[in-house]
């Protein structure tokens, strides 16, 4: 069973409705959640709702065979009975105005999955049918088989809009969510500091689930999810390289400040015989006894004061670097490895300060090319990722020529002047977030470089 929950656009209530549906379904079956796109926040809610690890599907990161294999693999690992996929932005919004790469429709087509369209029905009746009809006719290969109306004024409004959609677009309406300003406020505040808000978010998820139970025909949803054939995968498809047999130990920063990771990145490392040991730069005194460090993304800028206060941890990481041990940092990890964040002292492995700004500094899918062998890639390797940050690494102009950048950015911004991936000793740190499927040699190269030291 599988279903795609897609929106007509952003801010139509996808995450609230999708997470509520996942929670309700989880009361009677094992649900594996998926999120279209590179997002980390929505998957964290999905995981709280279903108790299964979050997973992403992205047609910029993955080809169609990888999408299908990753989906099936996720279901098998969780032993799930249904895969529920939350879309990104509008159903057809992707990288280009006319193509499918990066959009929800590409995932639905790759998986031959039915789509339930979520529509903001405020002030719409017959026009709602026109919206649904337009979405259905734009690409007949996308199987829109149900509609959920959000922000309906009341029962009369819902029944009129339902009649219009079902008669004029021949599409079943399976429910309507009433307007609720309380839900809107909570949705706007989602994702600010998810690791600190788990209890509040869990309470909100329970409320969303109650709204879903009262307003969505879940039997109809399940029947739509059943109405498709099995996902066929190519047995030759390899999601990532898994060749290393020698055991290694990698410490992974995971706490309030560092929590942006893809499940598949962990699994690719484990498939290369790495034992992952989780630690907290926020709470622990020093790093564990390991062979390498993996510092992922998150919110170190929010916790800069606390991270500075934990001097023993910062010193242990700096010492680890100076002893020639491998460290890989992504975005938040780059900031923590820098000299400082907004004046608060960090690990000083990257000898440049960083600061928060009022404007987004990088928000893009990224294509990177390695200009040298480094911790995660070989020279001339080309791979994909994404960047999303409001911070800047401040490199003085007179020092710029002395910085060893390992990555040339062909699409995106990077740290500066389309360069990214500062390489110092056995440390590599960048603004680039990679997914194991978009950089299939990441785990193999990382663990192999540990072994060769």
């Amino acid at each position: 069973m599988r279903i795609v929950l897609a929106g007509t656009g952003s801010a139509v209530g996808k995450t609230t409705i999708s997470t509520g549906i996942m929670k309700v379904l989880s009361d009677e079956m094992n649900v594996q959640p998926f999120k279209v796109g590179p997002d980390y926040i929505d998957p964290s809610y999905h995981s709280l709702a279903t108790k299964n690890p979050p997973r992403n599907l992205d047609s910029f990161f993955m080809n169609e065979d990888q999408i299908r294999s990753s989906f099936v693999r996720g279901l098998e690992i969780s032993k799930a009975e249904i895969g529920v996929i939350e879309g990104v932005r509008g159903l057809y919004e992707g990288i280009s105005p006319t193509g499918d790469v990066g959009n929800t429709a590409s995932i639905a087509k790759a998986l031959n999955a039915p789509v339930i369209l979520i529509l903001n029905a405020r002030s719409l009746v017959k026009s709602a049918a026109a919206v649904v009809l337009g979405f259905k006719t734009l690409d007949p290969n996308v199987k829109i088989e149900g509609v959920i109306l959000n922000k309906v004024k009341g029962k009369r409004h819902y029944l009129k809009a339902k009649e219009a959609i079902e008669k004029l677009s021949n599409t079943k309406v399976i429910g309507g969510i009433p307007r609720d300003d309380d839900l809107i406020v909570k949705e706007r505040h989602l994702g600010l500091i998810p690791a600190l808000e788990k209890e509040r978010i869990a309470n909100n998820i329970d409320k969303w689930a109650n709204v879903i139970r009262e307003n969505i025909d879940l039997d109809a949803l399940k029947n739509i999810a059943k109405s498709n054939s099995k996902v066929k995968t190519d047995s030759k498809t390899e999601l990532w390289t898994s060749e290393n047999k020698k055991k290694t130990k990698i410490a992974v920063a995971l706490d309030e400040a560092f929590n942006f990771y893809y499940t598949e990145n962990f699994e690719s490392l484990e498939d290369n015989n790495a034992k992952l040991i989780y630690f907290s730069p926020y709470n622990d005194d020093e790093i564990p006894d390991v062979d390498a460090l993996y510092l992922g993304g998150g919110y170190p800028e929010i916790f800069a004061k606390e991270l500075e206060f934990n001097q023993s941890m910062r010193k242990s990481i700096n010492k680890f670097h100076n002893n020639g041990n491998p460290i890989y940092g992504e975005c938040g990890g780059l900031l923590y490895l820098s000299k400082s964040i907004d004046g608060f002292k960090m690990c000083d492995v990257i000898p440049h300060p960083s600061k928060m700004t009022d404007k987004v500094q990088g928000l893009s899918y990224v294509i990177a090319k390695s200009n040298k062998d480094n911790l995660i890639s070989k020279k001339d390797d080309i791979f994909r990722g994404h960047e999303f940050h409001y911070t800047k690494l401040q490199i003085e102009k007179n020092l710029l020529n002395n910085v060893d950048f390992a990555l040339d950015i062909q699409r995106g911004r990077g740290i500066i002047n389309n360069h990214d991936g500062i390489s110092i000793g056995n440390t590599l740190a960048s603004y680039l977030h990679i997914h194991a499927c978009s950089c299939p040699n990441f785990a193999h190269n990382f663990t192999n470089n540990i072994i060769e030291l």
Side-chain angles (χ1 to χ4, degrees):
M1 296 172 65
R2 58 194 181 277
I3 196 80
V4 175
L5 302 171
T8 55
S10 297
V12 297
K14 283 193 308 296
T15 299
T16 300
I17 293 171
S18 298
T19 307
I21 287 172
M22 292 175 188
K23 173 65 174 175
V24 174
L25 291 177
S26 293
D27 290 342
E28 57 181 277
M29 64 178 71
N30 191 349
V31 177
Q32 174 57 53
F34 296 88
K35 171 67 180 179
V36 178
D39 182 33
Y40 294 104
I41 302 297
D42 293 353
S44 69
Y45 309 142
H46 300 168
S47 185
L48 282 173
T50 65
K51 310 304 181 188
N52 276 325
R55 296 183 182 275
N56 297 65
L57 299 169
D58 190 308
S59 56
F60 182 79
F61 291 164
M62 308 170 181
N63 60 39
E64 287 196 356
D65 286 335
Q66 287 178 312
I67 291 167
R68 287 188 283 266
S69 294
S70 186
F71 177 79
V72 170
R73 182 177 180 276
L75 291 181
E76 290 175 346
I77 290 174
S78 296
K79 299 180 180 178
E81 299 159 81
I82 184 172
V84 179
I85 305 159
E86 181 192 343
V88 60
R89 297 186 291 170
L91 173 61
Y92 294 112
E93 306 306 326
I95 290 177
S96 81
T98 57
D100 276 344
V101 174
N103 72 13
T104 302
S106 64
I107 303 301
K109 289 194 288 188
L111 297 175
N112 191 29
V115 174
I116 293 178
L117 193 64
I118 299 171
L119 187 155
N120 181 347
R122 181 182 288 271
S123 302
L124 299 181
V125 177
K126 187 175 181 180
S127 295
V131 172
V132 175
L133 195 59
F135 271 80
K136 291 186 73 171
T137 56
L138 182 63
D139 189 343
N141 293 318
V142 178
K143 303 187 300 182
I144 299 175
E145 297 187 13
V147 174
I148 293 174
L149 301 175
N150 196 16
K151 304 184 191 301
V152 297
K153 187 176 182 180
K155 185 175 181 180
R156 186 167 178 267
H157 176 207
Y158 169 68
L159 291 175
K160 289 173 69 175
K162 174 181 168 70
E163 180 182 358
I165 292 169
E166 293 186 338
K167 287 185 176 180
L168 299 176
S169 74
N170 193 31
T171 311
K172 185 176 181 61
V173 176
I174 67 168
I177 306 298
R179 297 176 194 175
D180 188 334
D181 289 340
D182 190 43
L183 285 177
I184 294 171
V185 170
K186 288 182 172 64
E187 186 174 359
R188 284 177 179 166
H189 287 83
L190 292 178
L192 293 178
I193 313 175
L196 287 182
E197 297 189 333
K198 282 188 177 180
E199 183 176 349
R200 185 181 69 80
I201 292 170
N203 290 334
N204 286 343
I205 290 173
D206 288 337
K207 293 177 183 178
W208 303 339
N210 289 333
V211 171
I212 295 300
R213 288 188 188 95
E214 294 171 1
N215 296 283
I216 301 296
D217 184 344
L218 291 166
D219 288 333
L221 183 147
K222 286 183 284 187
N223 285 334
I224 292 172
K226 289 177 182 176
S227 63
N228 50 67
S229 58
K230 186 177 180 180
V231 176
K232 296 180 180 179
T233 59
D234 186 344
S235 60
K236 297 180 181 179
T237 300
E238 290 187 358
L239 294 176
W240 46 74
T241 306
S242 304
E243 296 179 355
N244 287 337
K245 305 301 180 185
K246 188 173 180 179
K247 293 182 179 180
T248 59
K249 292 188 295 183
I250 300 175
V252 178
L254 188 63
D255 60 11
E256 294 89 338
F258 303 94
N259 44 68
F260 289 176
Y261 295 96
Y262 295 121
T263 299
E264 291 83 356
N265 286 17
F266 292 161
E267 292 172 347
S268 67
L269 290 166
E270 289 170 337
D271 282 353
N272 279 277
N273 239 0
K275 179 180 181 181
L276 304 185
I277 300 172
Y278 300 99
F279 77 106
S280 171
Y282 183 89
N283 296 301
D284 296 339
D285 292 331
E286 59 183 19
I287 61 174
D289 180 16
V290 292
D291 305 307
L293 297 184
Y294 182 3
L295 305 173
Y299 298 101
E301 65 274 17
I302 300 294
F303 301 99
K305 181 178 180 180
E306 291 83 358
L307 292 173
E308 179 189 56
F309 183 77
N310 194 349
Q311 185 177 5
S312 62
M313 174 59 73
R314 292 188 291 107
K315 284 187 173 181
S316 74
I317 291 176
N318 187 280
K319 180 180 178 181
F320 191 80
H321 162 75
N322 287 331
N323 287 340
N325 298 297
I327 303 175
Y328 175 56
E330 285 187 335
C331 198
L334 166 69
L335 301 182
Y336 186 49
L337 291 170
S338 73
K339 186 174 184 178
S340 61
I341 301 176
D342 292 334
F344 293 101
K345 293 179 181 178
M346 294 294 120
C347 296
D348 201 18
V349 170
I350 307 296
H352 309 285
S354 58
K355 71 170 185 175
M356 277 290 292
T357 69
D358 294 331
K359 297 180 179 179
V360 64
Q361 298 298 312
L363 175 56
S364 177
Y365 279 120
V366 176
I367 299 176
K369 181 177 181 179
S370 301
N371 58 48
K372 57 180 285 187
D373 288 355
N374 57 74
L375 195 59
I376 66 165
S377 58
K378 299 293 185 182
K379 184 179 180 181
D380 295 328
D381 281 355
I382 297 176
F383 54 94
R384 300 184 172 204
H386 77 99
E387 58 183 349
F388 182 22
H389 57 95
Y390 281 78
T391 60
K392 291 180 68 173
L393 193 67
Q394 298 177 292
I395 304 175
E396 295 180 17
K397 289 184 178 180
N398 62 316
L399 299 177
L400 191 57
N401 290 335
N402 297 325
V403 179
D404 189 3
F405 291 104
L407 306 176
D408 297 327
I409 303 302
Q410 299 181 342
R411 186 186 196 279
R413 296 185 65 175
I415 292 174
I416 190 171
N417 299 336
N418 297 115
H419 298 304
D420 209 331
I422 292 182
S423 179
I424 300 178
N426 285 315
T427 291
L428 178 71
S430 75
Y431 272 125
L432 179 62
H433 295 273
I434 58 121
H435 186 285
C437 291
S438 68
C439 186
N441 291 321
F442 152 70
H444 172 261
N445 287 330
F446 190 7
T447 53
N448 194 55
N449 280 315
I450 299 169
I451 292 168
E452 291 181 351
L453 287 177

